[in-house]
Amino acid sequence: MTTNAISLGTPEPEPRGTTHDFPLSSPGSDDLHTLIGTVLQALSDGAQQRGGPVPAGEPVELAGDVRDALGPLLLREGRGVGVLASLTEILARGAVDLADPAWSAHLLSPPLAISAAADVAAAILNADLTSWDQSPAGIIIESEVVRAMCTLVGYDPDAAAGVVTSGGTESNLVGLFLARDRPGGPGPAHGRSVVYASRSAHFSIRRSARLLGFPDENVIPVETNARDQMDPDALRAALEGGTREGRWPACVVATTGTTDFGAIDPVEDIITISRAHGAAVHVDAAYGGGALFSGKLASLLTGIDGADSVSLDLHKFGWQPIGAGVLLTRRADAFAPMAFEAPYVNAADDLRAGHLNHTDRSLRTTRRADAFKIAVTLQAVGTERLGEMVDHCHMLARHAARRIALTPYLALACDPVLSTVVFRYVPRADVPARSDAVNVSLRRRILAEGKAVVGRTELRTRKPSVWLKLTLLNPFMTVEDVDWVLDVITSAGSLEDGGDTS
Ligand SMILES: *Cc1c(COP(=O)(O)O)cnc(C)c1O
């Protein structure tokens, strides 16, 4: 037993000055104006010090510079607000400029300025979507963003549901969880439950399955065709085989926009076949979902409205700062396996009184109002302009493919579908080991020189297996920019092939 001793002595003096030196983030405060001004200035100073679109140098040099500039983090006495400027400078100096055409490596888009600015508002307010009393407007805005995304994929927004997530990885995990625990199945982590996905599905599918208790061998790889799309006949055969062996098909995962080729699985066929075998269908549209904005490309995703759940990622096509994922389900009751009771979040009487929240659909509890920047972007830009931006990236990819096909010493892996282009530099002695070595080193060369960041991938079915990749997500890049990047690659390739380095 403890006793509550009441001290009647003189109170300890207040610690010196802390509240005044470091004011809280509060809308309308002069301090925030000053600090944000400092950040913007330091970002531009840092970019200038970098002196190019990407930081030049070898990893050890860069790491050393950053550590030196950073200094120790656990200081007994802090250094004061000046740190904001110096550390922002370091961050920017060692960053890549996503808006520069020299960046075309990964599925990370340059965010729109308006969206980044909107995101600052969410950060300043620290709007938390866990419960109504922490951000009523944020929660309503999330509801409306989800309804808009349901409409975009063709779901009935009155019957469907969804939640804003940190990205495709979280959306895929929750999508697989809802499929695994849907009514009629054998329940959590049952040894008979299996997931079907093509070999080109994103790695987060296999890892989510593992987290959800599916042994690796219960994630059945479905064969793909020459264009990297899931082969419906192979899916049918796999499902039939599974049924014969007494397995329960928890989920078939279709990918619309694979990470390398942007390949789009035939969703309509996959849904028909999966339904016939009692499997749920999750569509990973993290990359290709953006095609829904485009009048030209939307038909690639025909049938997506029949899927049980869909992952979208607006920090790819969508030009949002990270994170801006969305998970949608065709039916709202699909989220039942996520249900929980916590009186400080979802007391029944509060919910009846209109204290809405979507925490019963989210893996996370405390959650930023990422829906806000999405809402601002959708309304400011409009779907037509977003579609034109997607189309522009697609056009750039087609241009790059044509250029590659016409350039001696470059070889195209296959025609682009969305906005990625996979190709390689062809050395004079074109044997797989030589080609792999040259492509590996040319990519690192142009990165170390601070010229450009190009992607790299490995194609398991091919020899040579190392390929380069342009991921074109910059809606303001021009065809001349694409030509420039290809020229940089060709020159670096010829230097590497000359054998005069390393
Ligand atoms: C990017 C991507 C993911 C992962 O999404 P994150 O937002 O990075 O978590 C999953 N699937 C596909 C097809 C992707 O392109």
Side-chain angles (χ1 to χ4, degrees), residues 165-176:
T165 67
S166 56
T169 303
E170 182 186 337
S171 298
N172 286 341
L173 175 61
V174 175
L176 281 187

Side-chain angles (χ1 to χ4, degrees), residues 107 166-170 172 202 204 255 257-259 284 286-287 313 315-316:
L107 276 170
S166 56
T169 303
E170 182 186 337
N172 286 341
H202 192 261
S204 61
T255 310
T258 59
T259 312
D284 180 357
Y287 175 23
D313 237 357
H315 53 235
K316 292 176 177 172

Side-chain angles (χ1 to χ4, degrees), residues 198 200 222-232 234 261 263-266 460-461:
S198 97
S200 297
V222 182
E223 283 307 323
T224 47
N225 64 19
R227 284 182 295 159
D228 214 29
Q229 302 166 294
M230 183 186 282
D231 173 1
F261 291 122
I264 295 182
D265 288 343
R460 70 190 157 80
T461 52

Side-chain angles (χ1 to χ4, degrees), residues 339-408:
F340 71 99
E341 276 173 44
Y344 50 89
V345 175
N346 64 359
D349 54 310
D350 275 347
L351 293 177
R352 276 196 304 276
H355 289 211
L356 181 71
N357 68 66
H358 306 120
T359 304
D360 58 352
R361 299 181 196 158
S362 179
L363 200 60
R364 293 179 287 163
T365 305
T366 304
R367 199 155 56 90
R368 312 180 78 239
D370 288 319
F372 179 63
K373 63 197 172 195
I374 301 175
V376 168
T377 305
L378 289 173
Q379 205 170 61
V381 182
T383 53
E384 187 174 274
R385 183 81 185 90
L386 288 168
E388 285 166 8
M389 288 160 69
V390 172
D391 288 342
H392 183 81
C393 297
H394 176 66
M395 180 279 290
L396 292 175
R398 292 170 56 111
H399 170 79
R402 272 195 304 273
R403 258 296 300 261
I404 290 163
L406 290 174
T407 307

